[in-house]
Structures are given as structure tokens and as C-alpha cells.
């Protein structure tokens, strides 16, 4: 038995983009222009692969950082602060290290987020749309 998919995949790019626009409209009358789909469908394969590599690399970083965060939250916070403040721990003065440790301890004691609340709000606002 043939499905809609079987017929759609045989369409040329322009017709497929129009079909995708029409199908999207069928969902709560959502309007996405045909040119949007056409742009995505004509994207070079190298760009698609690069996007996939980026996602995989970010995922690898995420998993590593998440493990560090679970292992020792204070060290994780200290490391992030050092990166953000451009301080190399092995070259930091005693005053810098002491200050960093105090800030990290305050963050951990208050269970305060490291992320600026404005950034979080901007993200949440963007994904609601």
C-alpha cells in the first residue's frame, strides 16, 4: 500500500517545498513560506554535516561538564569562573584564588545559578514562540 510519503519523496524540490508549506498549514493554520522549505532543501550537504558535527561536539562538552558538575560542584564553579574571568588557576595570585573560592562558596551555598537571569529569560522567551 502506497503512502503519502512514497509520493512526496519523488517530487522535485520546488513542488516538495510547496507540499511542505501546505502540510504545515494544515496544522493550526500555521504559515511557513515555501521559500523557507526550499532554502532548507537546497542546503549543501556539507552544511548539514557541519551542523551535525557541531551538535555532536556540544553534546560531548555538555556530558563532560555535567559529570564535572555532579562530581564536585565547587570545583566546577571555580573552573567556570576562571574561564569567564580569564584567570589561569596555576598562574593566579593568592588574592585571586581566595576571592574566586569565596565567590564559588557563595554561589554553592545559595544554590545560585551561574547563568545570568536575563539570558535565561531570553532563551525561555525564544523557545515559546
Amino acid at each position: 500500500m502506497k503512502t503519502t510519503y512514497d509520493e512526496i519523496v519523488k517530487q522535485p524540490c520546488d513542488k516538495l517545498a510547496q507540499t511542505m508549506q501546505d502540510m504545515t498549514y494544515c496544522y493550526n493554520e500555521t504559515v511557513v513560506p515555501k521559500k523557507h522549505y526550499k532554502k532548507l532543501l537546497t542546503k549543501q550537504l556539507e552544511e548539514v554535516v557541519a551542523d551535525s558535527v557541531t551538535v555532536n561536539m556540544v553534546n560531548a562538552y555538555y556530558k563532560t561538564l555535567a559529570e564535572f558538575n555532579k562530581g564536585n560542584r565547587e570545583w566546577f564553579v571555580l573552573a567556570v569562573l576562571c574561564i569567564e574571568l580569564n584567570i589561569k588557576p596555576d598562574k593566579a595570585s593568592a588574592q585571586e584564588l581566595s576571592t574566586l573560592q569565596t565567590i564559588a562558596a557563595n554561589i554553592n551555598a545559595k544554590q545560585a545559578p551561574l547563568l545570568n537571569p536575563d539570558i535565561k529569560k531570553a532563551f525561555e522567551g525564544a523557545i515559546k514562540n
Side-chain angles (χ1 to χ4, degrees):
M1 178 183 246
K2 274 192 160 181
T3 64
T4 304
Y5 174 81
D6 295 329
E7 291 302 311
I8 290 174
V9 295
K10 296 176 187 175
Q11 295 178 347
C13 183
D14 192 63
K15 177 71 174 147
L16 178 56
Q18 181 62 54
T19 301
M20 293 170 74
Q21 178 187 6
D22 295 343
M23 291 174 77
T24 304
Y25 183 79
C26 291
Y27 179 77
N28 296 331
E29 297 182 353
T30 304
V31 178
V32 176
K34 172 180 158 180
K35 68 179 182 177
H36 169 74
Y37 291 116
K38 192 167 182 176
K39 180 181 173 187
L40 292 175
L41 292 168
T42 57
K43 196 174 191 182
Q44 295 295 314
L45 191 55
E46 290 81 11
E47 292 177 67
V48 175
V49 170
D51 292 345
S52 176
V53 169
T54 298
V55 169
N56 287 332
M57 289 303 298
V58 169
N59 192 46
Y61 277 54
Y62 165 79
K63 286 180 179 180
T64 302
L65 292 173
E67 283 301 312
F68 288 158
N69 189 33
K70 278 192 247 175
N72 188 323
R73 174 78 176 161
E74 186 174 346
W75 290 353
F76 172 78
V77 170
L78 277 167
V80 171
L81 288 172
C82 286
I83 290 168
E84 284 298 306
L85 297 170
N86 199 26
I87 295 172
K88 295 181 181 176
D90 60 343
K91 301 203 183 329
S93 69
Q95 182 181 9
E96 289 172 324
L97 289 174
S98 176
T99 302
L100 285 170
Q101 289 172 333
T102 301
I103 293 169
N106 284 334
I107 289 170
N108 288 327
K110 295 176 185 174
Q111 297 182 353
L114 290 174
L115 187 63
N116 180 319
D118 293 338
I119 295 172
K120 186 175 181 180
K121 285 178 190 172
F123 172 77
E124 290 170 348
I127 62 172
K128 286 181 183 178
N129 296 329

